[in-house]
Amino acid sequence: MKRIFTRISVLVGICLLAINVAFAQNITVKGRVTDGGDKTTIPSVSVLVKGTQNGTQTDANGAFSISAPANATLVFTYLGYTTQEIAVNNQATINVVLQSSAQQLEQVVVVGYGTQRKIDVTGSVGSVKGEDISKQASTNAISALQGKVAGVSITNNGAPGSSPQITIRGTGTIYGNTGVLYIVDGVWYDDISFLNPADIENLSILKDASSQSIYGIRAANGVVLITTKRGNKGQAVISYNGSVGYKVVTNPIEMANATEYATVINELSASNGKPNLFANPASYGTGTNWYNQVFRNALQTNHQLSVNGGTEKTNYNFSLGYTNEDGIVKTQNYQRYTAKLSNDFQILKPLKIGYTVSGTAIKSKDIPGSIFRQLYAAGPVVPVYYADGSYGDANDFSLGGGNNFNPQATIDFFNQKSLNYRINGNVYAELTIAKNFTFKTSLGGDFGQNEVRAYIPVYKATQGQSSTQSQLDVKRDETRNWIIENTLTYKNTFGNHNLTVLAGQTAQRRKSYFVNATAFDVPYSSEGDLYLTLGNAGTRSVTDGGALTTYASYFGRVNYSFKNRYLLNATLRADAASQFFNGGDLWGYFPSVGAGWVITQEEFMKDQTIFDNLKLKASWGKVGNAGVPVNPTTLTISQPGGYVAIFNGVAYTGKNVSSLVPSFLNWERTTGTDIGFEAAFLKNRLNIEAGYYNKKTEQAIFGIPVLTSIGTSSGDLIGNQADLRNRGFEFSATWRDVSKAGLSYSISGNLGYNKNKVLSVVTGRNPIYQGGTGLTNGGLSTRTIQGGAIGEFFGYQVAGIFQNAAEIAASAQKGAKPGDFKYIDTDGNGVVDGNDRIVLGNPNPTYSYGLSANLGYKNFDLTLDFQGVAGIDIYNANIASRFGNENFTKDFYDNRWHGEGTSNTYPSVNLGTTANSAPNSFYVEDGSYIRLRNVQLGYVLPSALVNKWKMQRLRVFVDAQNPVTLFGYKGFTPEVGGTPMNAGIDSNVYPLQATYRFGVQVTF
């Protein structure tokens, strides 16, 4: 199937290329651009061949010259003026007069089921252009949004092809689907890793309940609307974008070398009354640097070929993409092939139809999930290989416990590959009825298959890394989703009134299916000959399962404005979800209303010269979250083999209630209120937007821990058991201008502030503890309680380090040793116990911000993006996780307590004890950072030179992503994600990397 798909894609590309070669005949168009008011010439006006990247700018005298097809359309754009499109029609000279414009009034943004002028929007919508996304070296479009939109927090995972974690205005969902809703060309998705960022035309983020409520069923955590590129009128234009670069680990952690490691392990042995493991630590020298052994500078290549064109009756856009990205861990690789084709046909004057279809094939060679923890913990005294070529073995050095591995052997004998195939898209028809009515129907689908094959051979690398029996695991997941939507829109202007009414209906089905199979004793001959049937038939096992959910929805919206001055937006959506068919309210109703007042349209503002635009806006709305598992209220019965009773010599297997389920589970609802303003000054050069929001999640679905001793296999009872709140402010400002010398520039900044709080929970003041990821001795590092934040860090406050036995005798920790943490007895009862724990930090960021600058001068352009977060904490579980003789960082080695008076901040190396490994303030660190997210320098070669090469435009660029990140955290990266009640715990997190690229963009 893949081979056929590839051949068809190549054939279509060749055909469209032939069309271009046969019919494209460029001519040189010259002219001058002047101001429609004072008739002066305008320098630095952007002149672009529509549908291409072929463009130029007017010189100091307003003159321009550009090579374009004889039937092309030229687009003239300049800040503060109305954009003009002029057909070439074989003209060699075109003079243009631009009229002054209130830019804010004409800017269009994508909203639910349509577009609106920005001035008419009463909600909070962030918009990012596709060209800004494509300037970054990210394989996922959401990653490129980092720092671009106020109130949007993004946490990246450095693994190739991974999906970033996005949070809009704070965490409002704890259980089930906590992610945002993605809508690509009308089709709903939970993830867009299949989408090539170069195919995106526009991306809008719906942040407030008023703009989200039109998607009520899934909008509680925010909505991201994505419009992909479509064809434009004109002859076929072929564009190629390509880049090659490499990734390198930044801010590496320096670990103790072999001599230092042997020294601290001897100290650890002595503190536990054991003899030294290493007679002469200095004899081991620097030893093995495991990070240098396993990490590499990783190559990244990316290619995108697109063909765009159309006529009066039809248009098309076709693209092919290929990404090949190595991971920083040797053997890791990710490859993605994408193809997309869209067509629009004006069948009759009132009837338009079209479709978009895209295909994605992804294959990857994976790495062990524990590799980063192993690299952190591995003993440097262990060589990678012995002289005879065998693997260095930690057991030969008596390094048991959590250090019983050789990381090189781990990756050498890890054989897991993933394949993912996906086809999605939609087809639509749009019919204009009478004068003011438009009916649109669309059918979209998302069909995918993901397969993971993991093979363990028979091998013996070390005493702790071996297998006496081969094993093949195959996991296959399938998705079969479809959505049908019908909308009827009435749009009319009468007198001073503008009215748009939308009514719609949606039906969805989401189906998933999985099969997990295992076989033992599978012989290895080659990668292509690994099959389950080759294994031992008696030990083969297969499990399968799936889920089916259906949704029915009805919605309506009214947009009204009077004199472009008073704005009203009202929405109502009704959703039914099959998850709530038994034991819940089947239907949920989600209303919203928004209002705006464009003050600058008032008569009393006509003569003022301060504001070019000033608008006040306010909104209220309710949205929902149906992202819970299928049949959440259905009680399941298991039949485990252990429950056996024998009657008359016959064994009868008993049954058991293995889980507790709620008798009633309702929708999770989020109510949001927004108040804000938009303003423009100095002939629209300066634009400011600010707002306040209060978002409350009601009846939040929450897991209350229960004792497994009552017979359940699940430790949580799920139910509508909490109310949550996120409250904050957002501010953004943009300055755009062009100097007299022809330097065009823009500077944009944004700041978001959010405060998360649990308003109520059924446990009252009784806390819920989680955050045990990677911790020793069953410690739990997070607490969620009424009045606090979700998943805040909780533990003991360290006051110093015990220096001697006398200090211990006078303390509330009589069982401590010199070098142990000294905890504060907060309740003053003379004993340090669980009642002395306090809040230590918050993994939910308080502030997020971004700053962008774009400069253009003649043929040069420069882009700079900065981004950061503040008011956030990280729990460094890498240090806290001690199960044996793991290594230590160089920082810990240099500052550790190793005798009276040596340190009062860092403990001894005896961290594995219950007292020292318990969650405490030493492990909680500030996670704030500021980063140069992206810098790109581009140069467009002169048209005279490019035209000789039969090209319309040629741009070359160099860029760097994440080249500089400033932070104080002692781990690899301050970007640490996680589920809501386990967020911010750094244990085995993929390291931060910088990417450096060189690329070209060519238009034929």
Side-chain angles (χ1 to χ4, degrees):
M1 178 180 177
K2 175 182 171 184
R3 186 175 299 172
I4 295 174
F5 176 73
T6 303
R7 290 176 177 175
I8 293 174
S9 301
V10 173
L11 180 61
V12 173
I14 292 173
C15 292
L16 294 175
L17 177 62
I19 293 172
N20 180 70
V21 173
F23 296 101
Q25 296 182 357
N26 287 5
I27 63 173
T28 298
V29 182
K30 298 182 179 181
R32 195 176 300 276
V33 180
T34 56
D35 184 291
D38 57 21
K39 309 304 179 184
T40 58
T41 58
I42 309 176
S44 301
V45 175
S46 172
V47 184
L48 186 70
V49 178
K50 187 175 181 179
T52 75
Q53 296 181 338
N54 178 25
T56 186
Q57 288 186 336
T58 57
D59 61 19
N61 298 315
F64 71 91
S65 176
I66 189 170
S67 176
N71 65 344
T73 298
L74 299 183
V75 182
F76 296 83
T77 308
Y78 189 72
L79 181 69
Y81 291 81
T82 301
T83 297
Q84 282 201 42
E85 296 187 5
I86 299 178
V88 174
N89 288 333
N90 213 27
Q91 302 175 79
T93 301
I94 297 178
N95 293 315
V96 181
V97 178
L98 294 182
Q99 301 296 329
S100 179
S101 166
Q103 188 185 34
Q104 282 289 102
L105 293 175
E106 303 303 324
Q107 184 180 349
V108 174
V109 296
V110 177
V111 295
Y113 299 99
T115 60
Q116 281 186 284
R117 294 189 309 166
K118 182 170 175 56
I119 195 65
D120 293 332
V121 175
T122 59
S124 183
V125 180
S127 185
V128 180
K129 296 180 180 179
E131 61 189 70
D132 295 328
I133 295 173
S134 62
K135 284 184 178 180
Q136 301 205 24
S138 304
T139 57
N140 190 296
I142 300 304
S143 176
L145 291 180
Q146 201 170 40
K148 293 288 187 182
V149 181
V152 178
S153 178
I154 294 173
T155 302
N156 283 305
N157 181 328
S162 61
S163 297
Q165 191 173 331
I166 176 173
T167 304
I168 299 175
R169 291 184 168 181
T171 300
T173 295
I174 295 175
Y175 179 80
N177 190 341
T178 62
V180 303
L181 170 64
Y182 298 100
I183 300 178
V184 182
D185 294 331
V187 184
W188 296 27
Y189 302 93
D190 293 328
D191 174 75
I192 58 166
S193 57
F194 67 91
L195 185 63
N196 189 334
D199 286 330
I200 294 177
E201 179 71 27
N202 181 78
L203 189 151
S204 292
I205 300 178
L206 310 185
K207 297 189 290 183
D208 73 309
S210 172
S211 59
Q212 296 165 353
S213 65
I214 198 73
Y215 298 109
I217 193 172
R218 273 286 318 280
N221 296 308
V223 181
V224 177
L225 302 178
I226 297 175
T227 304
T228 62
K229 295 177 180 178
R230 307 195 74 82
N232 294 288
K233 177 184 174 183
Q235 293 179 355
V237 175
I238 299 176
S239 298
Y240 167 77
N241 295 338
S243 65
V244 60
Y246 69 96
K247 299 184 297 181
V248 59
V249 174
T250 59
N251 302 92
I253 299 175
E254 185 180 1
M255 305 300 294
N257 64 31
T259 297
E260 295 162 343
Y261 173 77
T263 300
V264 296
I265 294 303
N266 283 346
E267 292 177 11
L268 179 60
S269 297
S271 69
N272 291 307
K274 298 179 181 179
N276 289 342
L277 284 180
F278 302 98
N280 182 12
S283 65
Y284 291 93
T286 58
T288 303
N289 185 318
W290 286 106
Y291 283 123
N292 289 349
Q293 174 64 26
V294 174
F295 284 175
R296 64 179 173 184
N297 290 344
L299 183 67
Q300 180 192 70
T301 58
N302 189 69
H303 305 276
Q304 167 85 3
L305 179 68
S306 65
V307 185
N308 188 300
T311 65
E312 295 288 347
K313 296 294 185 180
T314 183
N315 61 56
Y316 57 86
N317 181 282
F318 173 72
S319 69
L320 290 172
Y322 171 67
T323 296
N324 188 346
E325 184 177 1
D326 289 332
I328 58 170
V329 175
K330 296 173 182 177
T331 74
Q332 187 179 23
N333 178 260
Y334 170 86
Q335 295 183 60
R336 182 180 65 192
Y337 305 82
T338 62
K340 173 182 168 291
L341 178 62
S342 64
N343 278 108
D344 299 291
F345 306 93
Q346 195 73 47
I347 303 298
L348 301 170
K349 186 175 181 180
L351 177 63
K352 182 180 181 181
I353 65 173
Y355 68 88
T356 299
V357 61
S358 63
T360 306
I362 298 173
K363 63 179 182 179
S364 64
K365 187 170 183 180
D366 307 324
I367 58 174
S370 62
I371 188 62
F372 297 111
R373 176 60 193 165
Q374 289 192 13
L375 293 173
Y376 189 97
V381 296
V382 181
V384 181
Y385 305 103
Y386 292 130
D388 62 0
S390 61
Y391 289 98
D393 193 340
N395 290 278
D396 294 340
F397 299 82
S398 301
L399 304 178
N403 193 4
N404 192 14
F405 43 73
N406 179 318
Q408 185 64 52
T410 299
I411 64 171
D412 285 348
F413 289 98
F414 185 82
N415 184 353
Q416 178 175 298
K417 296 183 178 180
S418 301
L419 295 173
N420 184 289
Y421 302 100
R422 199 164 184 174
I423 294 179
N424 44 50
N426 78 322
V427 58
Y428 76 90
E430 189 174 276
L431 178 65
T432 301
I433 306 172
K435 181 180 179 182
N436 304 111
F437 289 92
T438 302
F439 174 76
K440 182 177 181 179
T441 183
S442 67
L443 170 64
D446 175 27
F447 309 100
Q449 176 177 304
N450 182 62
E451 180 178 291
V452 179
R453 300 176 70 89
Y455 180 71
I456 302 173
V458 175
Y459 76 99
K460 182 173 178 58
T462 68
Q463 292 185 47
Q465 295 169 286
S466 64
S467 176
T468 58
Q469 187 178 32
S470 63
Q471 178 179 336
L472 177 63
D473 293 303
V474 178
K475 299 179 181 180
R476 181 173 295 169
D477 300 290
E478 297 179 0
T479 56
R480 302 289 185 268
N481 305 329
W482 56 256
I483 178 171
I484 298 175
E485 293 190 309
N486 299 293
T487 60
L488 180 64
T489 304
Y490 170 80
K491 190 172 184 178
N492 197 8
T493 299
F494 42 96
N496 293 318
H497 307 274
N498 292 294
L499 177 65
T500 302
V501 181
L502 170 74
Q505 171 269 336
T506 296
Q508 292 187 66
R509 191 184 80 163
R510 299 173 62 84
K511 181 181 179 181
S512 63
Y513 175 74
F514 72 86
V515 175
N516 296 337
T518 299
F520 294 92
D521 300 320
V522 178
Y524 181 86
S525 57
S526 68
E527 291 293 335
D529 293 326
L530 291 175
Y531 299 108
L532 294 165
T533 55
L534 298 177
N536 188 326
T539 60
R540 285 199 298 265
S541 63
V542 177
T543 60
D544 68 344
L548 176 65
T549 54
T550 56
Y551 306 94
S553 309
Y554 300 91
F555 54 90
R557 180 175 62 204
V558 175
N559 295 103
Y560 170 77
S561 70
F562 177 69
K563 291 186 176 181
N564 288 322
R565 184 183 306 167
Y566 307 113
L567 314 172
L568 179 66
N569 180 313
T571 303
L572 176 64
R573 181 168 180 127
D575 288 313
S578 60
Q579 296 100 306
F580 302 94
F581 185 74
N582 293 310
D585 287 341
L586 179 61
W587 286 90
Y589 301 92
F590 307 102
S592 74
V593 61
W597 178 25
V598 185
I599 302 175
T600 44
Q601 293 293 307
E602 296 285 0
E603 290 298 326
F604 63 81
M605 295 288 288
K606 295 297 183 183
D607 295 328
Q608 61 85 31
T609 58
I610 299 176
F611 296 100
D612 299 301
N613 172 54
L614 178 62
K615 181 178 77 174
L616 298 181
K617 59 182 181 179
S619 66
W620 173 92
K622 182 174 287 189
V623 290
N625 182 17
V628 297
V630 177
N631 302 323
T633 60
T634 300
L635 187 66
T636 58
I637 305 296
S638 63
Q639 194 170 9
Y643 297 110
V644 178
I646 299 176
F647 296 97
N648 298 323
V650 179
Y652 294 88
T653 303
K655 296 183 179 181
N656 181 51
V657 176
S658 58
S659 62
L660 292 178
V661 298
S663 59
F664 183 89
L665 190 66
N666 215 336
W667 292 77
E668 190 174 86
R669 293 169 170 82
T670 298
T671 302
T673 303
D674 274 56
I675 301 174
F677 74 89
E678 299 171 12
F681 310 87
L682 303 173
K683 294 185 178 180
N684 289 292
R685 288 180 174 86
L686 177 62
N687 289 274
I688 293 176
E689 186 169 350
Y692 162 83
Y693 64 86
N694 187 7
K695 186 175 74 169
K696 180 181 178 182
T697 302
E698 302 165 333
Q699 302 182 45
I701 300 173
F702 208 91
I704 303 297
V706 296
L707 295 175
T708 57
S709 59
I710 66 176
T712 65
S713 60
S714 173
D716 288 339
L717 174 62
I718 304 303
N720 299 106
Q721 300 170 141
D723 289 338
L724 317 170
R725 185 184 69 197
N726 287 279
R727 180 185 289 173
F729 300 91
E730 294 173 355
F731 175 83
S732 61
T734 300
W735 172 270
R736 297 185 181 92
D737 200 5
V738 180
S739 71
K740 292 182 179 180
L743 173 66
S744 62
Y745 62 95
S746 68
I747 301 174
S748 300
N750 68 79
L751 172 67
Y753 165 85
N754 184 75
K755 195 70 173 178
N756 177 274
K757 187 177 183 179
V758 178
L759 299 178
S760 65
V761 64
V762 294
T763 57
R765 296 297 300 175
N766 293 320
I768 299 171
Y769 298 105
Q770 287 199 20
T773 305
L775 270 64
T776 317
N777 299 317
L780 299 175
S781 60
T782 73
R783 183 189 74 166
T784 300
I785 192 173
Q786 182 174 311
I790 296 172
E792 59 192 2
F793 298 128
F794 187 73
Y796 299 99
Q797 180 64 48
V798 175
I801 305 300
F802 285 114
Q803 301 297 319
N804 50 52
E807 286 188 6
I808 296 172
S811 74
Q813 295 169 254
K814 298 297 191 288
K817 295 180 179 180
D820 285 356
F821 287 119
K822 183 189 299 183
Y823 298 131
I824 295 178
D825 179 15
T826 57
D827 60 9
N829 67 353
V831 178
V832 171
D833 55 23
N835 295 323
D836 294 303
R837 293 174 297 173
I838 62 172
V839 176
L840 302 175
N842 190 344
N844 304 288
T846 304
Y847 302 95
S848 59
Y849 54 91
L851 179 68
S852 299
N854 293 277
L855 299 90
Y857 181 72
K858 295 184 177 179
N859 289 18
F860 289 94
D861 60 87
L862 176 66
T863 299
L864 292 167
D865 292 320
F866 295 88
Q867 169 265 331
V869 298
I872 183 173
D873 298 295
I874 298 173
Y875 193 92
N876 195 337
N878 290 310
I879 299 177
S881 301
R882 317 300 301 186
F883 299 95
N885 295 318
E886 293 89 352
N887 198 7
F888 295 85
T889 63
K890 184 67 163 60
D891 169 74
F892 191 93
Y893 173 83
D894 290 339
N895 296 284
R896 76 194 188 285
W897 185 95
H898 53 285
E900 187 170 348
T902 54
S903 177
N904 197 40
T905 54
Y906 282 59
S908 72
V909 295
N910 197 21
L911 290 178
T913 64
T914 301
N916 287 330
S917 64
N920 64 63
S921 59
F922 178 80
Y923 301 120
V924 177
E925 302 182 36
D926 185 6
S928 303
Y929 70 89
I930 182 171
R931 165 184 298 154
L932 175 55
R933 171 63 181 166
N934 188 59
V935 54
Q936 184 178 97
L937 176 65
Y939 176 73
V940 179
L941 274 67
S943 298
L945 176 62
V946 171
N947 291 340
K948 292 181 180 179
W949 299 338
K950 306 301 181 183
M951 301 177 184
Q952 294 185 18
R953 184 176 186 265
L954 174 59
R955 177 178 180 263
V956 296
F957 67 87
V958 291
D959 65 16
Q961 186 177 75
N962 302 333
V964 180
T965 303
L966 303 178
F967 59 93
Y969 174 60
K970 295 182 177 65
F972 263 114
T973 172
E975 286 191 87
V976 181
T979 57
M981 291 198 292
N982 295 277
I985 302 174
D986 184 359
S987 176
N988 203 48
V989 172
Y990 206 103
L992 175 68
Q993 312 138 60
T995 303
Y996 302 92
R997 297 189 306 166
F998 167 79
V1000 296
Q1001 298 171 330
V1002 186
T1003 303
F1004 297 93

